Amino acid sequence: MESHMCLTWMLLCLLLLRPAATQNPAPEGVLNCCEGDVLFLLDSSGSVSSYEHSRMLTFLSELLLPFSLGEDQVRVGLLQVGTQPRLEFGFDTHKTQSSLQGDLRNTKPLRGDTNTVEALKIAKERVLRPGASGGARPGLPRVLVWLTDGVKPGDVIGPMAELREEGVAVLVVSTGHGNYLVLRQVVSPPVEDHLYFVDIDDMSIITDDLRDAIIEIIRAERINVRDVSSNSATLQWRPVLSGLTGYYEVRFAPVLTGGAGGGGGGGGTGTSPSTGGSQYQRLIQSADSSTARLTGLKPDTTYTATLTPESNEQSFNTLSVTFTTKPEMMSPAVVSVSESGETSVRVSWGPLQPETVTSYYVEYSALPRGKLHATTVGRTQNSTLLRDLQPDTTYLVTITARHASGKEKAMSVKVCTQEVTPALADLQLTTVGSDSVQVDWKVSAASLRGYWLTWEGQQSSDSGHRSSFYLPPDSLSTRLTNLPPAARVCVSPIYRTARGEGLCCTAQFHSDALAYGYQS
């Protein structure tokens, strides 16, 4: 008796000392692998008991816990099925696991009929429609996961087919064992990966399989190339190793086109079937990296780059991308002209390449056989102002870049200086009678092409009285008749390329007919 009591006491102590079973949730952000919108269609009608509803929510909590949530990650929505289906929360509601898990714990069943058809209509027209307010993101995977007890699913084959035709992946979890033929018709292929029958108390045994199936659909295994130049490029990828131990291995090499490809340093070299058997360069990037700069590339060459995430905790696929570097652009590639004046003009060129250019040599001469002038410009400058030029003259300007490699590249451009256009030196009006004036002017310019003379009435009664005409270059005077009182007379010199600055005077008709000059 005493020994029996001792044994009982020991067993009781062991039970008391035994730690309680606790859930060890995966840390938030472990599955930083995916980008997509996942809508859960949860049967909470009268055929689902409160206990079953609670078990389904616990299953969802464990299923979703490892995912990283957010705009550039995974977004989750929950649509409950009842007589009047209800969207408990949409894709833009939860950006953290804590808020999602709290919402799942507080979700109550709807009861009533199993109106799955109406719920699918809401899913198709609102929640899963790309670009709709609160709807799915355009261009990203969309997934519908239907959790049902399998009782009276309704006429769902048609609506589910429409969703699949629009690119929605459909998965089904049934806690009952009926309506197999209906359920297998609504899921996306392959059926064996997307249709699950499980007892309500054993749902945890499919958690990993269902999560893996979702990941395969929304896995963001993308690698992009940006900032491509003639000798470099940047690889960019989603940091799938974030939160894990490991590293990324990057390999890149020219695509073989019949000849042997070359490769250089980086993190090492070798020969790889993944790069067409050519010599490749190898880089190792840390687990928290999301970019790698590829340097030492050849101009105008097609490359293949591969990215392999390596981790003992999880396996990932090798990603690859092909890109072509830009043709080599040696300065100067473009020459432009600005600030053109009568005796100067500014010449600019590009691109500025101080890392490869030692200096720029600028030569210029008047066409057709003018004296050659030259100046040297430092490698950090991409423009110079040419001075002491002849007006109204065409020059040939040549920019030669002297590269550190010993190469030289030149580019020429024609520039024109502005014509000298002297202003009218003097303008005088002499009244002749009551409505006529003698107009005299002076100008000192050899390239005159003529004069432009204009007069107009200034008083309100003379509004609309105006006249203009051309005079030859040897003219220095003219007489105007039948002018209105206080007529304003303007004379401008005309040159080959422009009109020079003129002068204006107002005709004042006096009885004494005095000569005067009035400039304005």
Side-chain angles (χ1 to χ4, degrees):
M1 180 69 177
E2 183 177 350
S3 60
H4 179 72
M5 291 181 63
C6 289
L7 181 59
T8 302
W9 176 253
M10 290 176 63
L11 290 174
L12 181 60
C13 289
L14 287 173
L15 289 173
L16 291 174
L17 293 174
R18 180 182 177 181
T22 59
Q23 183 184 17
N24 295 315
E28 182 174 340
V30 165
L31 287 182
N32 184 12
C33 65
C34 305
E35 189 174 12
D37 296 323
V38 184
L39 177 64
F40 289 91
L41 191 65
L42 179 61
D43 187 354
S44 66
S45 62
S47 64
V48 179
S49 68
S50 297
Y51 173 77
E52 291 173 325
H53 185 264
S54 174
R55 293 293 298 166
M56 288 183 178
L57 290 174
T58 301
F59 170 72
L60 286 183
S61 175
E62 295 174 355
L63 177 73
L64 296 173
L65 188 60
F67 286 102
S68 297
L69 306 180
E71 278 303 313
D72 58 347
Q73 305 280 350
V74 178
R75 301 195 308 174
V76 177
L78 178 61
L79 177 60
Q80 291 211 97
V81 178
T83 303
Q84 295 293 329
R86 182 172 67 201
L87 182 64
E88 296 295 336
F89 52 83
F91 292 139
D92 54 359
T93 303
H94 298 296
K95 295 179 174 60
T96 63
Q97 278 289 344
S98 58
S99 65
L100 172 63
Q101 297 296 331
D103 221 345
L104 289 174
R105 286 192 296 269
N106 294 327
T107 299
K108 306 299 181 185
L110 297 182
R111 303 302 180 203
D113 297 331
T114 310
N115 195 353
T116 310
V117 173
E118 180 63 26
L120 290 174
K121 182 179 179 181
I122 295 173
K124 179 177 182 290
E125 297 179 357
R126 289 173 45 193
V127 191
L128 291 172
R129 181 178 295 276
S133 178
R137 293 166 291 184
L140 293 180
R142 293 168 293 159
V143 182
L144 175 69
V145 182
W146 181 21
L147 279 73
T148 176
D149 62 357
V151 177
K152 297 181 180 179
D155 188 13
V156 296
I157 294 178
M160 287 290 195
E162 292 177 1
L163 285 172
R164 293 197 309 274
E165 289 172 0
E166 293 184 1
V168 178
V170 178
L171 289 71
V172 174
V173 176
S174 176
T175 58
H177 297 279
N179 292 300
Y180 170 78
L181 294 179
V182 172
L183 298 182
R184 78 181 309 273
Q185 289 187 66
V186 303
V187 298
S188 301
V191 175
E192 60 271 18
D193 292 336
H194 295 162
L195 176 58
Y196 300 86
F197 286 92
V198 62
D199 290 334
I200 193 67
D201 290 319
D202 298 325
M203 295 190 74
S204 60
I205 66 175
I206 67 166
T207 301
D208 291 342
D209 290 340
L210 179 59
R211 185 187 298 129
D212 289 343
I214 295 173
I215 290 174
E216 282 304 308
I217 298 170
I218 65 173
R219 185 189 298 276
E221 288 190 335
R222 293 192 301 272
I223 182 171
N224 301 313
V225 182
R226 59 177 176 83
D227 302 333
V228 179
S229 69
S230 61
N231 56 13
S232 64
T234 298
L235 292 185
Q236 186 175 35
W237 62 86
R238 173 174 290 281
V240 295
L241 295 181
S242 178
L244 303 176
T245 58
Y247 61 89
Y248 298 98
E249 181 186 51
V250 177
R251 297 184 181 188
F252 59 99
V255 175
L256 292 181
T257 57
T269 61
T271 303
S272 171
S274 62
T275 55
S278 63
Q279 194 80 4
Y280 66 83
Q281 293 178 251
R282 179 174 178 265
L283 299 176
I284 298 298
Q285 301 292 110
S286 61
D288 58 354
S289 301
S290 60
T291 62
R293 187 67 175 166
L294 312 183
T295 58
L297 308 182
K298 296 179 179 180
D300 199 19
T301 302
T302 300
Y303 281 81
T304 293
T306 62
L307 174 75
T308 305
E310 299 284 0
S311 175
N312 292 329
E313 303 176 43
Q314 192 173 338
S315 61
F316 297 91
N317 295 328
T318 296
L319 309 177
S320 65
V321 66
T322 301
F323 64 95
T324 302
T325 53
K326 294 182 178 179
E328 186 175 18
M329 181 180 290
M330 293 178 60
S331 181
V334 61
V335 177
S336 59
V337 180
S338 62
E339 302 177 25
S340 178
E342 296 173 356
T343 60
S344 65
V345 64
R346 179 170 293 279
V347 181
S348 305
W349 56 88
L352 189 62
Q353 296 175 327
E355 69 282 358
T356 60
V357 174
T358 58
S359 63
Y360 295 95
Y361 189 63
V362 183
E363 299 172 290
Y364 57 100
S365 62
L367 294 176
R369 291 179 295 274
K371 180 182 177 181
L372 182 65
H373 302 269
T375 183
T376 300
V377 179
R379 63 179 182 176
T380 59
Q381 291 180 246
N382 67 339
S383 72
T384 187
L385 184 65
L386 306 181
R387 305 175 186 272
D388 301 324
L389 307 180
Q390 295 297 318
D392 194 21
T393 302
T394 300
Y395 283 81
L396 179 66
V397 181
T398 301
I399 313 294
T400 302
R402 294 169 172 170
H403 290 259
S405 63
K407 295 181 180 180
E408 291 188 352
K409 183 185 178 184
M411 179 171 280
S412 299
V413 64
K414 289 182 180 180
V415 302
C416 297
T417 53
Q418 297 294 319
E419 180 183 15
V420 177
T421 56
L424 204 68
D426 183 47
L427 177 65
Q428 287 192 351
L429 303 184
T430 303
T431 57
V432 181
S434 60
D435 62 356
S436 302
V437 294
Q438 178 72 24
V439 185
D440 299 281
W441 61 85
K442 296 179 181 179
V443 68
S444 56
S447 58
L448 264 173
R449 297 299 176 92
Y451 300 93
W452 191 254
L453 188 148
T454 301
W455 67 262
E456 62 179 337
Q458 296 189 84
Q459 297 181 3
S460 58
S461 60
D462 301 321
S463 177
H465 287 201
R466 177 186 176 90
S467 181
S468 297
F469 54 90
Y470 166 80
L471 292 170
D474 57 351
S475 302
L476 292 177
S477 67
T478 191
R479 178 170 293 190
L480 303 178
T481 60
N482 299 318
L483 296 181
R488 185 173 178 80
V489 180
C490 298
V491 179
S492 300
I494 301 174
Y495 299 95
R496 182 179 63 85
T497 60
R499 183 187 298 185
E501 184 179 352
L503 295 174
C504 295
C505 291
T506 301
Q508 302 289 347
F509 295 107
H510 300 291
S511 58
D512 296 336
L514 298 176
Y516 66 95
Y518 176 76
Q519 179 179 339
S520 63

